Amino acid sequence: MNICKRYQEQRATSNEQRATSNEQRATSNEQRATSNEQRATSNEQRATSNEQRATSNEQRATSNEQRATSNEQRATSNEQRATSNEQRATSNEQRATSNEQRATSNEQRATSNEQRATSNEQRATSNEQRATSNEQRATSNEQRATSNEQRATSNEQRATSNEQRATSNEQRATSNEQRATSNEQRV
């Protein structure tokens, strides 16, 4: 009778351990699913960061082109000023034609002023694009920090899952030993 009671108690203990092991497996599976979701989120954030970098690079290229255009316009303006000075020197010699040359010079000055205004607008646009690029870099850095935190959380969850697996394996080993003992007692 005592052997039967012991056998029944050992079976009950073994069943409880199996139930606990199954619960731990379910918890481990949930943690794996959470880890996979976090990896997917991290990959999406990386893709967003790469897109933002590409946009930033395009904006830099546009800014560089605008700077080159602005430099060309400055060179043209300087040339026009030199031409205007030459025309002024010529106007002293040719007073009869100086009025026509002055009119031409005034038109060139107006063009130069328009080019300066355009250059100033382009500079302002370039500064705005730089500010936007800096904001996008800051956002990208924040997303990287978030991604790193999520990786750390995922690693912690993996460690917890591994500990639970080890505990489950120990419980299985104990259960197997108890079964072996029970089988020996039966014999």
Side-chain angles (χ1 to χ4, degrees):
M1 292 296 289
N2 290 332
I3 293 173
C4 289
K5 283 182 182 180
R6 285 180 186 174
Y7 178 72
Q8 288 174 351
E9 287 174 357
Q10 287 174 344
R11 273 193 178 175
T13 301
S14 178
N15 288 333
E16 286 176 0
Q17 288 175 338
R18 284 181 185 174
T20 301
S21 178
N22 289 332
E23 287 175 359
Q24 288 174 338
R25 284 182 184 173
T27 301
S28 178
N29 289 333
E30 288 175 359
Q31 289 174 337
R32 285 181 184 172
T34 301
S35 178
N36 289 333
E37 289 175 358
Q38 289 174 337
R39 284 182 184 173
T41 301
S42 179
N43 289 332
E44 289 175 358
Q45 289 175 337
R46 284 181 184 173
T48 301
S49 178
N50 289 332
E51 289 174 0
Q52 289 174 336
R53 284 182 184 172
T55 301
S56 178
N57 289 332
E58 289 174 0
Q59 289 175 338
R60 284 181 184 172
T62 301
S63 177
N64 289 331
E65 289 174 0
Q66 289 175 337
R67 284 181 184 173
T69 301
S70 177
N71 290 331
E72 289 175 0
Q73 288 174 338
R74 284 181 185 173
T76 301
S77 178
N78 290 331
E79 290 174 1
Q80 288 174 340
R81 286 180 184 173
T83 301
S84 178
N85 290 331
E86 290 174 359
Q87 287 173 342
R88 285 180 184 175
T90 303
S91 73
N92 290 329
E93 294 173 358
Q94 298 174 340
R95 290 181 181 177
T97 59
S98 66
N99 290 330
E100 293 176 358
Q101 289 175 337
R102 283 179 186 174
T104 301
S105 178
N106 289 333
E107 289 176 358
Q108 288 174 338
R109 284 181 185 174
T111 300
S112 178
N113 289 333
E114 288 176 358
Q115 288 174 338
R116 284 181 185 174
T118 301
S119 178
N120 289 332
E121 288 175 359
Q122 287 175 337
R123 283 181 185 173
T125 301
S126 178
N127 289 333
E128 289 175 359
Q129 287 175 337
R130 283 181 185 173
T132 301
S133 178
N134 289 333
E135 289 175 359
Q136 287 175 338
R137 284 182 185 172
T139 301
S140 178
N141 288 333
E142 289 175 359
Q143 289 176 337
R144 284 182 185 172
T146 301
S147 178
N148 288 333
E149 289 174 0
Q150 289 176 338
R151 284 182 185 172
T153 301
S154 178
N155 289 332
E156 289 175 0
Q157 289 177 339
R158 284 182 184 172
T160 302
S161 177
N162 289 331
E163 289 174 1
Q164 289 177 338
R165 284 182 185 173
T167 302
S168 177
N169 289 331
E170 289 175 0
Q171 290 176 339
R172 284 182 186 173
T174 302
S175 177
N176 289 332
E177 289 175 1
Q178 290 176 341
R179 283 183 186 173
T181 302
S182 177
N183 290 332
E184 289 175 2
Q185 288 175 346
R186 283 184 184 177
V187 174

